[in-house]
């Protein structure tokens, strides 16, 4: 290993005395590592529905939907947006922005929509 | 990282062995930063970003583990193509324990551990209501891999609240508001203990703010999108973002372009190197170049002349020898001609003569003399016609059958000649008409050039639109945008109007058979069906598109008179306005990133998560929701809670947060309620400090559990496990 790297001391050593089992033994090279359950799968396995609802858990402490009216802002400029372009579904503030909206490529429209999770993926 | 408020500390510690095994190690395991240190101390020993990279070391080919941020200068030694930075977190829950292990390895190693096990109790933070699977995996890892004697779990926001309570900043009843990296929490405290029943979590955090900024800027400046890395966006966020007291009012200032908005706009100038300026060539330069060109032309002309004269010379010689041959032939006796000719290679006298005439012809051509064929007269007058076709005017009954035949022929010849003449005349007239129109246009151009140009542009646009529209209809019946470039029709893809019609015809033809009497073919129109069915059938191609011709004319005209005119490339859609147009040279202005509304638009998602499509309450409403979730409605308690709202977590450092939170909660509470929002002493480090104080307490071990407890008490116990914060 290069002197500069040794000097910087950034690499985690392979062998660590304080460990009862080393990482390379636990996760041998080349073997497909057991896939880690993602949060969604973890939560499914927790079976929260089997427990009383008054007991707080990861799912039921989540915030409720808002009571306030949904704020609509122009996707491009951030101004308040009274209009929606029926062709692209983008919200826009005024005629100038509308021109920009119509000049966007489908790719860009899609990106703008996916920012606010409104992009429809046709399969 | 060049951030302002977060600093990594990764200096290797050497005093590990001076700590007795009874002193716990305290870890604040946050989704963005990992902080580790000793119980009872006020500062964590190590702070680093909670990420792992496992690149390949180029020299040795080994896969190495690097935890935290990597100095970009050292990147050159590694091949990172297959491994980006990875986090052990999914949202705020640890799920990837292999990554977690590398991070703990690094942390303990840096803390100076060198015994056979980590012989210290550990207090580690987790999210509120951590799923038991994640909690048990973490305990198992600490017990089995590191040999830790005892483990305790606590919630970072709660530790922060307790730490501030300890310093008299907040009271025993209150609410902690903690906008973090991936999530935001509000947790009410009653009698100094967190009430998770009343807590609220919205899945938005600093990560989302940064990501929003990154995406908005990349879309605003597609030309520079590669510049907006996640790290850069994070820096920009920390440097510029603030929370507007009222989004609508603030945004109107920008929309109206007020002076205040101008002052609030920030700029980021990207490095820009001006292109070399082209100096127009000087007079001498032009003259010099012209002289060179002239000289080259002269040389070429001379060469061509020389070649021509040598060819003429050659041919003259040949002609001379041929003439000589002919003269000789004249002198030769009649019976000796064949033998003489066979010697010269010619078969007969005729051949020789024809060769002579051929050579003479080509010689004439080479010399540039006119051909000796009579030029065809263009003038066809009636009298000439009468001379040429004398039989036409003679009545039929005066002619013999031979002459009748001849007359028919003459009539035919005459009509065709006349037809040709007429066509020529028409062409001439058309040309004249065109000339006249051009003149007219030029006149108008002279009179009012600007207006004329405008008019031309408008016309061009209109025709272009028409042509494109036609094209769209042709390629895709009802498509909203003409971007369907794929010609093939696969499964699920939409057919063009023409293709649909063809399919319809085919299917009706297929199903029509056998139904009733087959009358196909009884009418002539029936056979048209096959023509319509045939694949290549395309009605538009049958006649040349007049619009396209007009478009070509207009664009060529515009190119002449308008220097800024750019012909739109075939099939290319209009460039977005954000992109620096390619036609003009890029200026420094094009490399200036303007950050105006984005400064407060991005953090606004913490108060309005629906801006990025998350249907949950924002930070201010979370406070109200938390109070509502408490088991018993108690207005006195509620009053006490709202009078002690503590803001902690990295995102509470965004300027304007306190004011906005206070006004937001005030809107939700009854009129006249006491509302008091306080910022934590250090929103980033207080969680670790609170945990450190908690672990230093003598009662700490009563809140921790050992490996034996872990295996004996079972999962259900671990799920309910909770430390008592009042022990602090």
């Amino acid at each position: 290993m290069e002197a500069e790297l040794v000097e910087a001391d950034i690499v985690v050593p392979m062998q660590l005395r304080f460990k009862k089992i080393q990482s390379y033994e636990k996760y041998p090279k080349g073997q497909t590592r057991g896939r880690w359950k993602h949060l969604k799968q973890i939560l499914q396995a927790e079976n929260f529905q089997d427990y009383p609802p008054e007991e707080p858990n990861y799912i039921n402490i989540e915030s409720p939907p808002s009571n306030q009216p949904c704020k609509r802002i122009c996707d491009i400029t951030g101004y308040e947006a009274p209009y929606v372009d029926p062709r692209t579904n983008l919200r826009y503030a005024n005629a100038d922005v509308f021109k920009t909206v119509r000049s966007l490529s489908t790719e860009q429209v899609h990106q703008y929509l996916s920012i606010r999770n409104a992009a429809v993926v046709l399969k | 990282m060049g951030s302002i408020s977060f600093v990594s500390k990764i200096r290797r510690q050497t005093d590990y062995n001076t700590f007795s095994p009874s002193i716990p190690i305290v870890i604040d395991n946050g989704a963005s930063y990992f902080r580790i240190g000793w119980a009872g101390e006020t500062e964590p020993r190590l702070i680093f970003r909670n990420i792992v990279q496992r690149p390949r070391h180029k020299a040795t080919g080994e896969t190495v583990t690097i935890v935290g941020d990597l100095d970009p200068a050292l990147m050159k030694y590694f091949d990172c193509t297959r491994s980006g930075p990875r986090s052990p977190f999914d949202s705020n829950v640890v799920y990837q324990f292999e990554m977690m292990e590398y991070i703990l390895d690094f942390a303990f190693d840096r803390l100076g551990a060198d015994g056979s096990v980590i012989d210290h109790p550990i207090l580690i933070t987790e999210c509120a209501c951590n799923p038991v699977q994640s909690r048990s995996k973490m305990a198992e890892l600490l017990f089995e891999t590191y040999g830790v004697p005892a483990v305790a779990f606590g919630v970072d926001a709660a530790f922060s609240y307790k730490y501030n309570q300890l310093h008299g900043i907040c009271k025993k009843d209150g609410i902690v508001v903690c906008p973090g990296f991936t999530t935001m929490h509000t947790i009410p405290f009653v009698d100094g203990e967190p009430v998770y029943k009343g807590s609220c979590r919205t899945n938005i955090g600093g990560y989302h703010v940064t990501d929003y900024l990154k995406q908005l800027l990349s879309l605003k400046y597609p030309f520079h999108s590669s510049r907006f890395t996640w790290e850069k966006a994070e820096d920009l966020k920390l440097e510029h973002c603030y929370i507007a007291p009222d989004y609508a009012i603030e945004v109107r200032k920008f929309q109206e372009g007020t002076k205040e908005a101008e002052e609030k706009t920030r700029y980021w100038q990207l490095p820009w190197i001006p292109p070399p300026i082209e100096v127009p060539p000087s007079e001498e330069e032009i003259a010099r170049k012209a002289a060179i060109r002239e000289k080259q032309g002269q040389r070429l002309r001379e060469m061509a002349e020389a070649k021509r004269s040598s060819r003429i010379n050659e041919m003259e010689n040949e002609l001379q020898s041929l003439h000589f041959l002919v003269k000789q032939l004249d002198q030769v006796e009649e019976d000796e001609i064949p033998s003489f000719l066979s010697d010269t290679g010619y078969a007969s006298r005729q051949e020789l003569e024809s060769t002579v005439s051929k050579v003479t012809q080509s010689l004439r051509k080479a010399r540039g003399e006119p051909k000796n064929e009579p030029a065809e007269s263009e003038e066809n007058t009636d009298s000439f016609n009468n001379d040429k076709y004398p039989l036409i005017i003679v009545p039929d009954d005066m002619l013999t059958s031979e002459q009748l035949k001849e007359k028919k022929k003459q009539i035919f010849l005459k009509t065709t000649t006349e037809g040709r003449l007429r066509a020529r005349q028409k062409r001439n007239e058309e040309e004249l008409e065109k000339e006249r129109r051009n003149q007219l246009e030029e006149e108008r151009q002279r009179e009012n050039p600007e207006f004329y140009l405008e008019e031309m542009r408008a016309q061009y646009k209109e025709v272009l639109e028409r042509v494109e529209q036609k094209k769209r209809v042709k390629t895709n019946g009802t498509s909203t945008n003409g971007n369907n470039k794929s010609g093939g029709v696969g499964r699920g893809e939409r057919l063009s109007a023409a293709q649909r019609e063809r399919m319809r015809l085919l299917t009706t033809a297929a199903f029509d058979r056998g139904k009733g009497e087959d009358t196909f073919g009884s009418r002539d129109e029936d056979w048209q069906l096959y023509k319509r069915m045939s694949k290549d059938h395309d009605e538009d191609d049958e006649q040349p598109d007049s619009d396209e011709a007009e478009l070509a004319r207009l664009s060529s005209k515009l190119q002449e008179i308008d220097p800024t005119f750019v012909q739109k490339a075939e099939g290319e859609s209009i460039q977005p306005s954000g992109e620096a147009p390619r036609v003009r040279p890029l200026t420094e202005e094009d490399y200036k990133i303007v950050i105006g509304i984005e400064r407060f638009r991005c953090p606004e998602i913490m108060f309005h998560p629906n801006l990025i499509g998350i249907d949950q309450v924002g930070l201010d409403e979370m406070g109200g929701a938390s109070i509502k979730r408490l088991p018993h409605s108690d207005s006195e308690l509620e009053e006490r809670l709202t009078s002690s709202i503590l803001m902690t977590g990295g995102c509470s450092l965004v300027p304007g947060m306190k004011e906005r939170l206070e006004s937001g909660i005030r809107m939700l509470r009854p009129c006249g309620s006491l509302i008091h929002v306080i910022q934590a002493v250090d929103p980033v480090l207080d969680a670790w400090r609170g945990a450190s104080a908690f672990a230093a307490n003598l009662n700490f071990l009563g809140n921790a559990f050992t490996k034996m407890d872990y295996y004996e008490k079972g999962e259900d116990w671990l799920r309910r496990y909770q430390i008592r914060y009042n022990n602090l």
Side-chain angles (χ1 to χ4, degrees):
Chain A
M1 209 152 277
E2 291 84 352
E4 200 183 346
L5 285 180
V6 176
E7 177 74 18
D9 189 22
I10 53 166
V11 174
V12 180
M14 289 276 278
Q15 187 85 26
L16 289 162
R17 268 196 70 199
F18 54 78
K19 289 184 82 175
K20 286 181 169 177
I21 176 168
Q22 302 295 334
S23 307
Y24 58 83
E25 293 166 333
K26 222 181 201 177
Y27 308 109
K29 208 178 164 187
Q31 270 186 34
T32 46
R33 289 158 189 162
R35 263 178 51 84
W36 297 97
K37 276 187 189 171
H38 280 264
L39 182 56
K40 230 177 177 173
Q41 297 161 294
I42 291 175
L43 293 176
Q44 246 163 19
E46 294 280 299
N47 294 319
F48 288 129
Q49 67 278 3
D50 297 347
Y51 298 98
E54 64 272 9
E55 202 175 287
N57 61 45
Y58 191 83
I59 291 205
N60 67 20
I61 65 164
E62 223 174 307
S63 302
S66 178
N67 290 324
Q68 287 178 0
C70 186
K71 203 181 199 78
R72 291 183 199 285
I73 66 165
C74 174
D75 284 305
I76 289 137
T77 59
Y79 301 153
E80 281 182 284
Y83 316 112
V84 177
D85 175 21
R87 195 190 278 180
T88 59
N89 271 333
L90 284 176
R91 294 169 185 158
Y92 65 95
N94 51 41
D96 288 340
V97 183
F98 182 67
K99 273 184 203 152
T100 322
V101 167
R102 281 293 160 93
S103 71
L104 293 176
S105 68
T106 11
E107 172 98 358
Q108 285 169 313
V109 169
H110 191 85
Q111 277 174 344
Y112 270 118
L113 287 173
S114 57
I115 284 183
R116 61 174 162 93
N117 215 357
V120 182
V121 183
L122 280 176
K123 276 179 191 166
Chain B
M1 237 179 88
S3 59
I4 299 160
S5 39
F6 305 110
V7 187
S8 293
K9 288 205 289 189
I10 48 165
R11 180 183 291 246
R12 190 179 281 277
Q13 306 294 306
T14 50
D15 56 351
Y16 182 86
N17 290 321
T18 64
F19 290 90
S20 89
S22 62
I23 298 178
I25 293 173
V26 177
I27 298 169
D28 179 5
N29 189 24
S32 63
Y33 276 80
F34 185 97
R35 303 168 190 93
I36 187 169
W38 295 101
E41 294 191 354
T42 51
E43 291 285 320
R45 293 295 183 94
L46 304 166
I47 302 173
F48 51 86
R49 251 179 98 192
N50 219 341
I51 50 168
V52 179
Q53 293 178 74
R54 304 206 71 214
R56 202 172 57 82
H57 183 236
K58 276 180 187 164
T60 57
E62 282 171 49
T63 304
V64 296
T65 309
I66 296 168
V67 172
D69 271 312
L70 171 62
D71 183 358
L74 298 173
M75 283 300 255
K76 57 175 188 268
Y77 297 115
F78 301 107
D79 172 19
C80 294
T81 43
R82 290 185 63 194
S83 69
R86 285 203 277 165
S87 160
F89 285 85
D90 187 356
S91 189
N92 57 348
V93 175
V94 180
Y95 82 106
Q96 234 288 19
F97 283 88
E98 187 187 342
M99 295 302 141
M100 196 69 242
E101 189 170 329
Y102 295 134
I103 288 164
L104 288 168
D105 282 356
F106 177 74
F108 292 136
D109 180 49
R110 286 305 154 103
L111 204 59
D114 60 355
S116 59
V117 287
I118 301 293
D119 196 16
H120 296 270
I122 284 184
L123 170 60
I124 185 165
T125 62
E126 57 174 16
C127 66
C129 300
N130 194 18
V132 69
Q133 199 254 18
S134 174
R135 185 181 283 173
S136 96
K137 280 252 163 60
M138 182 67 90
E140 192 184 305
L141 176 66
L142 291 170
F143 288 133
E144 297 296 342
T145 306
Y146 300 100
V148 171
V151 172
F153 291 103
V155 174
D156 49 353
F159 282 130
S160 182
Y161 189 87
K162 293 307 282 184
Y163 179 80
N164 282 281
Q165 191 195 334
L166 206 66
H167 285 77
I169 310 272
C170 50
K171 306 190 188 92
K172 65 181 169 58
D173 297 326
I175 299 174
V176 61
V177 176
C178 180
F181 183 66
T182 51
T183 53
M184 305 188 293
H185 282 96
T186 53
I187 306 169
F189 273 74
V190 177
D191 285 328
E193 284 292 333
V195 184
Y196 295 119
K197 177 80 194 84
S199 61
C200 245
R201 186 191 69 242
T202 293
N203 297 321
I204 276 192
Y207 169 83
H208 299 92
V209 178
T210 304
D211 198 53
Y212 193 34
L213 181 65
K214 177 175 176 275
Q215 296 207 48
L216 285 179
L217 288 178
S218 315
L219 279 163
K220 193 170 163 190
Y221 301 98
F223 199 64
H224 304 298
S225 59
S226 61
R227 295 254 181 197
F228 305 112
T229 59
W230 203 88
E231 277 73 19
K232 186 67 212 177
E234 177 86 5
D235 279 356
L236 288 173
K237 176 187 84 172
L238 292 173
E239 204 177 334
H240 299 304
C241 280
Y242 68 94
I243 289 167
D246 184 306
Y247 184 84
I249 293 171
E250 191 80 1
V251 89
R252 220 164 291 139
K253 284 181 200 161
F254 277 81
Q255 200 166 1
E256 284 157 11
T258 60
K259 199 154 175 283
E260 192 190 336
E262 222 167 273
E263 279 161 9
K264 279 182 174 169
T265 304
R266 296 283 176 274
Y267 302 97
W268 174 33
Q269 182 64 55
L270 294 173
W272 176 75
I273 304 140
I277 298 155
E278 274 178 46
V279 186
S282 63
E283 291 278 313
E284 292 132 56
E285 186 76 357
I286 293 170
R288 205 172 59 82
K289 274 193 181 151
I292 290 172
R293 238 194 333 268
E294 178 59 31
K295 229 162 110 188
Q296 278 170 340
Q298 187 63 39
R299 224 185 63 219
L300 280 175
R301 273 198 294 278
E302 272 165 14
M303 265 163 68
E305 183 57 39
K307 208 170 157 193
R308 190 170 140 250
S309 62
S310 82
R311 224 176 103 223
I312 289 173
N313 228 348
E314 222 170 80
M315 277 194 284
E316 270 170 351
N317 285 345
E318 198 186 344
L319 199 65
Q320 236 167 27
S321 61
L322 280 170
H323 279 306
F324 178 71
L325 211 63
V326 174
K327 230 181 246 166
Q328 269 191 327
L329 196 64
D330 286 342
Q331 288 163 5
V332 172
E333 296 293 320
E334 195 67 27
D335 49 339
E336 280 174 24
I337 287 175
S339 65
F340 175 79
L341 279 174
S342 67
D343 283 348
T344 56
Y346 291 97
S348 66
R349 196 185 179 93
Q350 277 91 345
E351 201 186 319
L352 186 64
E353 270 160 5
S354 81
T355 316
V356 170
S357 75
K358 232 186 247 166
V359 173
T360 322
Q361 281 261 351
S362 33
L363 189 61
R364 271 212 191 94
K365 214 169 144 195
R367 280 182 182 146
E369 285 164 19
K371 286 182 195 170
N372 53 356
E373 292 157 28
E376 225 175 315
S377 164
E378 297 275 314
E379 290 304 305
N380 284 339
T381 55
D382 267 346
S383 61
F384 180 75
N385 268 346
N386 290 348
D387 291 346
K388 211 169 173 188
Y389 315 115
L391 291 174
I392 290 176
I393 44 169
V394 184
D396 280 358
D397 47 343
M398 288 172 69
L399 298 167
T400 62
S401 63
E402 254 327 89
Q403 282 172 318
L404 264 176
K405 232 182 237 168
E406 188 64 20
K407 183 183 173 185
K408 258 186 200 159
K409 214 163 132 193
Q410 283 181 1
I411 288 172
F412 173 73
L413 274 173
K414 190 183 171 207
T415 45
T416 46
T417 324
E418 276 169 356
R420 265 206 299 277
L421 258 177
R422 269 199 301 277
R424 196 182 297 148
Q425 216 163 357
K426 206 176 156 198
R427 254 199 320 273
N428 281 343
E429 268 166 31
E430 262 172 25
E431 244 152 58
L432 273 175
E433 174 70 17
K434 216 168 149 188
E435 191 83 341
R436 217 161 43 89
R437 228 171 46 191
N438 278 352
Q439 264 174 4
L440 211 73
E441 276 189 15
E442 264 165 41
E443 224 163 86
R444 271 172 46 211
Q445 191 184 346
R446 264 201 304 280
E447 273 167 26
N448 194 348
E450 279 94 27
F451 178 71
Y452 177 72
L453 197 61
E454 267 314 296
E455 214 179 53
M456 286 291 282
R457 283 207 194 109
Q459 255 182 46
Y460 176 74
K461 233 171 127 184
E462 192 184 311
V463 178
L464 185 71
E465 190 90 333
R466 223 163 38 220
V467 169
E468 299 234 312
Q469 180 71 27
K470 219 177 251 177
K471 233 179 255 170
R472 272 206 291 272
V473 169
K474 224 156 100 182
T475 51
N476 202 345
T478 52
S479 166
T480 48
N481 39 44
N483 286 356
N484 183 13
K485 278 174 195 145
S486 58
V489 178
R491 240 183 74 217
E493 273 177 76
R494 286 184 196 172
L495 299 161
S496 78
Q499 284 166 324
R500 265 206 305 273
E501 176 62 13
R502 185 166 164 266
M503 278 304 191
R504 194 189 63 76
L505 284 172
L506 283 175
T507 40
T508 41
F511 287 106
D512 222 18
R513 198 162 302 157
K515 211 194 281 174
E517 211 179 325
D518 190 2
T519 58
F520 186 84
S522 59
R523 285 172 304 144
D524 276 346
E525 297 95 87
D526 288 350
W527 301 105
Q528 290 285 319
L529 183 64
Y530 288 117
K531 201 181 159 201
R532 275 181 278 142
M533 269 187 205
S534 79
K535 204 168 187 134
D536 301 326
H537 171 69
D538 200 341
E539 48 198 319
D540 283 329
D541 285 356
E542 279 167 12
Q543 65 216 25
D545 204 323
S546 64
D547 276 344
E548 257 165 52
E550 178 76 0
L551 189 69
R553 190 183 73 82
L554 282 169
S555 78
S556 69
K557 186 91 193 170
L558 267 168
Q559 253 162 355
E560 267 172 43
I561 55 172
D562 185 0
T564 60
F565 174 74
V566 206
Q567 197 173 358
K568 228 178 79 166
E570 193 81 20
E572 193 183 343
S573 62
I574 304 158
Q575 289 303 313
S577 59
E579 188 163 344
R582 292 196 195 106
V583 281
R584 63 179 173 80
L586 292 174
T587 62
E588 197 167 359
E589 205 61 17
D590 294 317
Y591 281 79
K592 190 150 95 181
I593 307 300
V594 182
I595 305 167
I597 289 177
E598 290 84 0
R599 287 184 70 196
F600 59 91
R601 178 180 176 181
C602 297
E604 186 66 20
I605 61 171
M606 291 195 276
F607 291 89
H608 289 103
N610 66 49
L611 293 185
I612 56 166
I614 292 175
D615 188 22
Q616 285 187 312
V617 294
L619 207 50
D620 45 359
E621 278 184 275
M622 281 167 73
S626 260
I627 291 171
K628 265 190 221 138
R629 280 182 176 183
L630 285 173
H632 310 290
S633 175
D634 177 350
S635 59
E636 249 179 70
L637 173 66
E638 284 174 20
E639 186 86 9
R640 285 205 302 278
L641 289 177
T642 56
S643 66
S644 170
I645 299 171
L646 183 84
M647 295 192 312
T648 186
C651 279
S652 68
L653 285 167
V654 186
M657 176 66 101
K658 185 173 172 246
E659 294 74 18
R660 178 68 182 272
L661 199 58
E662 201 163 305
S663 69
I665 293 176
R666 199 176 296 283
M667 302 261 276
L668 300 164
R669 300 301 304 161
C671 191
S673 315
L674 184 63
I675 285 152
H676 191 45
V677 178
I678 325 129
Q679 187 167 44
V681 179
D682 183 339
V684 178
L685 285 179
D686 279 358
W688 187 87
R689 288 179 182 142
S692 161
F694 183 86
N697 195 287
L698 288 175
N699 290 327
F700 171 69
L701 281 180
N703 284 296
F705 56 95
T706 62
K707 186 173 165 184
M708 263 238 289
D709 293 330
Y710 172 68
Y711 283 111
E712 279 175 6
K713 292 182 176 169
E715 195 180 73
D716 206 42
W717 169 83
L718 188 65
R719 201 167 57 78
R720 281 177 226 278
Y721 164 87
Q722 195 179 320
I723 58 169
R724 279 189 51 76
Y725 291 87
N726 274 335
N727 279 346
L728 181 65

